[in-house]
């Protein structure tokens, strides 16, 4: 697991290469504010090899956050992350590894009959109750998430992960009430609190797509305040003195800035955005889709491009995301060493200050 000493040593080794606030606090650790994501890409050996090279390059260049999920590229992403961690010239204790569970993962490739495969591999053995499956592929029940955490640890070749996310819990709203989703989250959080107490994960959270950046009346909306409350109850149920719920992941970029602009969450003083709620609640925010899955590589809106530092549109998009209030790390898909070199260079430029960031939206 990442440690305070390991991550601070990493910062000492790489910090002089980057501009101010490149490294940021994450609990007792420090992490690079640019992280490597592993979502995109084909489920092929060639893509595995490219990811391997990219991850090693990133870890040896000043990026110590790697984000993945058990379902990414049919478990291949986790497996290649594990190989790269073993071979990179960095200590395990200097790297924050995050993964997720919620979508039923295939094994290496997409089966010819996905529905039948899920039934044979998960429903028949009792790993998933049929009633817990939503849209035939999503489950956040405690037993399933615990099984997925174990699979992730095996894929990664690790004894513990630093952050574990319940993946897109809002998917469950397609089949059950909001109250029922909160209840299931609390039960699953209790299991994760137990695993944290056992030393098998450092912190946990939720990774979402829409839940925290849509208005309260939206059918995919979840209350961050309620989720935090359920995590506190879970910690108490597990016998922990404080919750290990410390992070959220959500999309944030120039063209998807809802996490900052939509005041859909209820704070102590009234409605506020997800970013401000998380900031005031002491939650770390890991921004996903920073390049809008590649769309921002070709250019940013003119008024934004003029204000954000960077030599390329991709670097300016990364630095925009790094400038959001409360954002700990901007996650960027990097499928080759060349992508790593271009993206990590964004960190040599300073992010926007608070006033300059606010001006973009005035």
């Amino acid at each position: 697991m990442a440690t305070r000493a390991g991550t601070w040593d990493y910062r000492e080794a790489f910090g002089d290469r980057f501009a101010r606030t490149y490294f940021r606090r994450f609990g007792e650790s420090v992490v690079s504010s640019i992280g490597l994501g592993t979502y995109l890409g084909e489920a092929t050996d060639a893509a595995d090899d490219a990811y391997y090279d990219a991850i090693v390059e990133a870890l040896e260049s000043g990026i110590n956050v790697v984000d993945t999920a058990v379902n990414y590229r049919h478990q291949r992403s986790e497996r290649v992350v594990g190989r790269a961690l073993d071979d990179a010239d960095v200590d395990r204790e200097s790297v924050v590894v995050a993964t997720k569970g919620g979508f039923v993962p295939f094994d290496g490739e997409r089966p010819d009959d996905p529905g039948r495969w899920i039934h044979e591999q998960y429903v028949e053995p009792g790993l998933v109750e049929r009633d817990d499956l939503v849209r035939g592929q999503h489950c956040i029940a405690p037993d399933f998430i615990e099984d997925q955490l174990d699979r992730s640890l095996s894929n990664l070749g690790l004894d513990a992960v630093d952050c574990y996310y319940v993946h897109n819990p809002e998917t469950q709203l397609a089949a059950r009430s909001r109250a029922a989703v909160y209840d299931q989250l609390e039960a699953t959080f209790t299991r994760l609190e137990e695993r944290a107490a056992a030393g098998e994960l450092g912190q946990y959270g939720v990774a979402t797509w829409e839940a925290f950046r849509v208005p309260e009346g939206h059918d995919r909306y979840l209350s961050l305040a309620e989720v935090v409350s359920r995590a506190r109850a879970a910690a108490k149920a597990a016998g922990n003195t404080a919750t290990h719920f410390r992070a959220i992941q959500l999309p944030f970029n120039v063209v998807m800035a809802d996490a900052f602009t939509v005041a859909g969450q209820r704070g102590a003083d009234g409605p506020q955005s997800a970013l401000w709620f998380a900031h005031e609640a002491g939650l770390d925010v890991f921004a996903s889709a920073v390049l809008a899955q590649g769309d921002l590589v070709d250019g940013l809106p003119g008024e934004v491009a003029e204000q954000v530092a960077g030599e390329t549109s991709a670097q300016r998009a990364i630095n925009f995301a790094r400038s959001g209030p409360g954002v700990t790390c901007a996650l960027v898909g990097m499928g080759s060493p060349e992508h790593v070199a271009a993206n990590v260079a964004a960190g040599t430029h300073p992010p926007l200050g608070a006033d300059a960031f606010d001006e973009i939206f005035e």
Side-chain angles (χ1 to χ4, degrees), residues 59-120:
L59 294 174
E60 296 179 353
S61 299
I63 290 176
N64 73 332
V65 177
V66 180
D67 181 84
T68 189
V70 70
N71 66 304
Y72 286 177
R73 302 174 54 253
H74 313 321
Q75 301 188 63
R76 285 174 174 261
S77 286
E78 283 190 333
R79 291 164 183 165
V80 76
V81 167
R83 287 199 293 121
L85 281 170
D86 278 344
D87 295 344
D89 188 21
V90 295
D91 293 333
R92 164 66 184 102
E93 292 183 354
S94 69
V95 181
V96 168
V97 180
T99 192
K100 316 174 188 73
F103 290 98
V104 178
F106 301 131
D107 193 352
E109 62 184 3
R110 183 180 177 85
D112 293 334
D113 188 339
R116 180 177 179 179
W117 188 91
I118 290 173
H119 183 82
E120 292 176 348

Side-chain angles (χ1 to χ4, degrees), residues 14-147:
F14 291 98
D16 290 343
R17 304 183 186 184
F18 299 100
R20 62 180 175 85
T21 73
Y22 176 74
F23 283 98
R24 302 177 181 182
R25 296 296 296 267
F26 178 56
E28 294 186 348
S29 300
V30 288
V31 296
S32 55
S33 56
I34 300 173
L36 187 147
T38 60
Y39 170 63
L40 298 176
E42 299 295 324
T44 63
D45 291 344
D48 288 351
D49 292 342
Y51 259 125
Y52 171 87
D53 292 340
I55 297 165
V56 171
E57 177 72 14
L59 294 174
E60 296 179 353
S61 299
I63 290 176
N64 73 332
V65 177
V66 180
D67 181 84
T68 189
V70 70
N71 66 304
Y72 286 177
R73 302 174 54 253
H74 313 321
Q75 301 188 63
R76 285 174 174 261
S77 286
E78 283 190 333
R79 291 164 183 165
V80 76
V81 167
R83 287 199 293 121
L85 281 170
D86 278 344
D87 295 344
D89 188 21
V90 295
D91 293 333
R92 164 66 184 102
E93 292 183 354
S94 69
V95 181
V96 168
V97 180
T99 192
K100 316 174 188 73
F103 290 98
V104 178
F106 301 131
D107 193 352
E109 62 184 3
R110 183 180 177 85
D112 293 334
D113 188 339
R116 180 177 179 179
W117 188 91
I118 290 173
H119 183 82
E120 292 176 348
Q121 298 294 320
Y122 282 89
V123 178
E124 287 185 357
L127 296 173
V128 176
E129 296 293 332
R130 183 185 295 275
D131 290 344
D132 287 331
L133 270 180
V134 171
R135 293 180 173 169
Q137 62 171 347
H138 190 266
C139 179
I140 60 170
D143 288 346
F144 174 73
I145 293 298
E146 190 158 35
D147 170 82

Side-chain angles (χ1 to χ4, degrees), residues 140-205:
I140 60 170
D143 288 346
F144 174 73
I145 293 298
E146 190 158 35
D147 170 82
Q148 296 300 283
L149 173 56
D150 289 336
R151 288 173 193 255
S152 291
L153 291 173
S154 177
N155 286 339
L156 293 162
L158 299 177
D159 295 326
V161 293
D162 302 290
C163 187
Y164 190 81
Y165 297 105
V166 178
H167 201 177
N168 288 15
E170 65 267 37
T171 305
Q172 292 287 308
L173 293 170
R176 62 190 78 245
S177 71
R178 193 164 284 108
V181 173
Y182 292 139
D183 287 345
Q184 195 161 65
L185 278 174
E186 183 176 336
T188 295
F189 289 168
T190 301
R191 197 71 60 88
L192 294 176
E193 289 283 354
E194 293 168 352
R195 298 296 291 266
E200 294 166 310
L201 63 91
Q203 302 177 26
Y204 70 94

